[in-house]
DNA sequence: GATGAATGAGTATTCATTCAT
DNA sequence: GATGAATGAATACTCATTCAT
């Protein structure tokens, strides 16, 4: 039982890396079993189909990222920082896939979209809580919080996904984030420092 | 000359519809030629490859949509309406592809993304002009116009692409659009009526 | 393991016969699998590509022929007979492919050449040994043995490949063989009897 | 009439070059008409089929080479030099196809063989005359001249076709040529100088 | 738990040839 | 003489999936 589970994890890890580096469509079952050193039959003993495996790989990633986001939720940091922290935590963790450029390359769009969609659905409730915390504390002032949170995610996805962004993009992003939640002007300026530090 | 051109157009139209309804990847060359009632060779007489055909199909769509958007640019309507009009014009025209749900279904993501990217690049300059018109007229008040325009497009794409949106989504969209360009509150409220009328 | 190997051998045998009778280029993968009664996938399970299969077929033939030639090398027969025997052993064994005319028909030239080149490279060293044996025994008298051996092979290939040869061709071949190695006149006359017997 | 002939010649020339540089099989009719700047139909107006065109291209080459060889036949040079001259004249004239390596590359084998076969048939009678001249003059002494001439051609083809030859190969070739025709030892040594000069 | 031989529908692409205009 | 649109059989190769052992 344990052994089988470990084997399955191993396969998921291998597939995860291959899907990211070569794309789901361009990774054949043969590629995976060769990399894993197992037989065809063994693969189908653990997974019903290639597509089902993709779902599991995605689920695995989501869980990990949501876990990190949840941790931030209860951390003792100011609300604005929490928001930014959660958003940052759902990025594909630059350290675990500096593989190539990867996720936003055309051959990966499908997996990318699937992940994004499911991730957004899971992250929205978390962020809603944080923003509510903010409105209660009087730092934010807005209605329709779930919808606003969703937009923030859409904008941040776009900003960080694409092949690079300028200082002006960041300026506008900060401005609009403040206005989105009815925060005081310049109260989210710290984002700029974060980004510059990350570079 | 004329004859060949017409045939090619016809093929592009057929492929366009099939790509949208079944997805590019799921449409085989065989599907296309069967639908068109031509031989394999004829297909390859007009197109170097399936992928090159996709490029032509996309180019065709883009041209059409940009054409409509440009027309609006010089129309005698108020600036806010121009903006909304241009954004609406680049949607895949509900009347010409009510086919299924289509463009945003997973199998179409690739084509969808390709189109979106190229469309955004072409539409941004148009919208920038309109927004500048607005700032000069004193209706808008903002800096970094290209970046703001880009964000507006990202938001509207998201809003209308996904599987439906609520009244609250629209409210937030309107609110944020006004703030994005420094417009007066409620000055973009007319969007709501437009959307309700379209339903 | 055994099972797969046998299957592969079987496929190689079938392909070998088809390549010879119809030519490599004119034998499609479909032809082969139909003759073998297997599915496309099975074919590609055993062979990476059609071309790689050709290499294996050729390798198989070469091995067999070189094996026969090596056997003669250590047989207890006079040197001149050894030479002739080795040359004869590398012919495509009239009994196993009287199929049509085959190897030297234009459509087979490619395979033919590939085989010839590789065969010559392997046979030259064997013959060199025999000729050296002959010079040591005083029956032959010549320098540059490898080069002479090569020429002998070229001549014999030409003589036996082409569509038939006359008595005169044989006379000249015998004469020149003797002179090539500095053998006594008429010492290779036995070749004529061999050929006549074989007819 | 004249015009059409010229057009045809032009096409033959173009095809000749392409066949040599890319191989007959790898040159498509489309390649030829594109290079010639004509339409498909025009091609088939001049040639029944691609294969028939190949025959004409080959015929063209043969005629040219045989022409050169015939000229040498009646030139006022010693018999041995005539022989070598004729053999040299049927090589693919290094100046007219230094294109790549060309004729003996695998993709060209088919055309190569076709040419060789037809060329040999035409050259043999010419060389026979020269050798007879030589026997009458007492420089040569041999029977079965046509067969011997054929062998000489086979040997020279092999020597010069292959990817390079050594000094030893030349030594043996000279030796065997002398013996083939019953010439005096060293009487053909001049070949070595010719080859060295040509290098 | 694990193997690996077998499947077969599916795919894009090539190319010599024809023929109405 | 010349065009170029149309043909369609042929080709090599892919790959997720199955199943008897």
């Amino acid at each position: 039982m344990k052994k089988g589970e470990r084997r399955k994890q191993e396969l998921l890890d291998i597939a995860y890396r291959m899907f990211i580096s070569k794309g789901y469509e361009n990774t054949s079952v043969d590629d995976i079993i060769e990399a894993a050193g197992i037989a065809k039959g063994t693969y189908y003993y653990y997974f019903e189909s290639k597509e089902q495996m993709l779902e599991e790989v995605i689920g695995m990633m989501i869980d990990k990222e949501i876990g990190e986001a949840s941790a931030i939720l209860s951390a003792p940091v100011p609300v604005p920082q929490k928001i930014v922290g959660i958003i940052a935590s759902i990025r594909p963790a630059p350290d675990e896939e500096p593989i190539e450029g990867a996720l936003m390359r055309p051959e990966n769009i499908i997996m990318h979209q699937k992940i994004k969609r499911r991730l957004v659905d899971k992250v929205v409730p978390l962020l809603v809580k944080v923003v509510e915390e903010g409105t209660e504390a009087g730092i934010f002032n807005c209605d329709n919080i779930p919808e606003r949170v969703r937009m923030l995610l859409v904008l941040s996805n776009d900003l960080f996904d694409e092949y690079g962004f300028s200082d002006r993009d960041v300026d506008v992003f900060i401005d609009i984030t403040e206005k989105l939640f009815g925060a005081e002007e310049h109260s989210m300026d710290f984002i700029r420092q974060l980004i510059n530090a990350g570079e």
Side-chain angles (χ1 to χ4, degrees), chain A:
Chain A
M1 208 125 119
K2 270 278 182 50
K3 204 170 144 208
E5 278 306 302
R6 218 179 309 133
R7 177 80 105 177
K8 186 168 180 177
Q9 254 319 312
E10 198 187 312
L11 287 173
L12 284 173
D13 284 342
I14 289 171
Y16 165 65
R17 267 178 250 124
M18 298 187 91
F19 287 171
I20 281 181
S21 63
K22 313 180 6 179
Y24 169 73
E25 308 266 33
N26 301 328
T27 304
S28 69
V29 173
D30 275 315
D31 290 338
I32 298 170
I33 66 168
E34 195 198 8
I38 61 166
K40 264 285 178 48
T42 310
Y43 177 90
Y44 281 93
Y45 175 77
Y46 287 109
F47 304 98
E48 269 176 31
S49 68
K50 193 186 155 196
E51 198 163 350
Q52 190 251 44
M53 183 195 218
L54 174 61
E55 296 304 326
E56 290 207 41
V57 165
I58 290 175
M60 197 178 87
M61 293 171 64
I62 304 259
D63 287 350
K64 195 160 51 179
E65 279 160 7
I66 289 298
E68 292 172 24
S70 301
I72 292 170
L73 191 65
S74 48
V77 282
V79 162
Q81 272 79 348
K82 269 191 193 173
I83 292 178
V84 175
I86 289 174
I87 287 175
S89 78
I90 64 174
R91 321 255 83 242
D95 56 291
E96 68 183 339
E97 64 93 11
I99 317 197
E100 277 188 72
L103 261 196
M104 27 309 234
R105 288 219 312 286
E107 64 262 33
N108 281 355
I109 294 180
I110 288 174
M111 189 167 73
H112 192 200
Q113 294 286 78
K114 277 200 165 183
I115 292 172
K116 200 148 70 187
R117 202 158 282 174
R118 285 175 56 177
L119 209 47
V120 166
D121 289 344
K122 293 222 169 187
V123 167
V124 165
L126 297 183
L127 280 176
V128 165
K129 268 191 203 158
V130 180
V131 174
E132 278 169 354
E133 211 182 299
T135 55
E136 277 155 28
I139 342 180
F140 292 161
N141 175 23
C142 63
D143 55 357
N144 295 328
I145 298 179
E147 287 75 19
R148 286 175 192 274
V149 159
R150 200 169 199 296
M151 286 210 181
L152 179 67
L153 285 174
V154 168
L155 287 178
S156 73
N157 270 336
D158 177 73
L159 190 62
F160 301 119
D161 267 16
E162 304 299 325
Y163 307 81
F165 48 83
S166 67
D167 284 349
R168 293 183 158 190
D169 285 314
V170 176
D171 287 348
V172 174
F173 179 72
I174 289 170
D175 178 46
I176 211 62
T177 300
E178 288 164 0
K179 286 174 177 154
L180 197 53
F181 298 126
E184 198 143 317
E185 210 168 333
H186 300 304
S187 62
M188 307 289 282
D189 266 3
F190 71 97
I191 293 178
R192 198 172 359 244
Q193 278 106 49
L194 273 179
I195 288 174
N196 291 339
E199 300 285 275

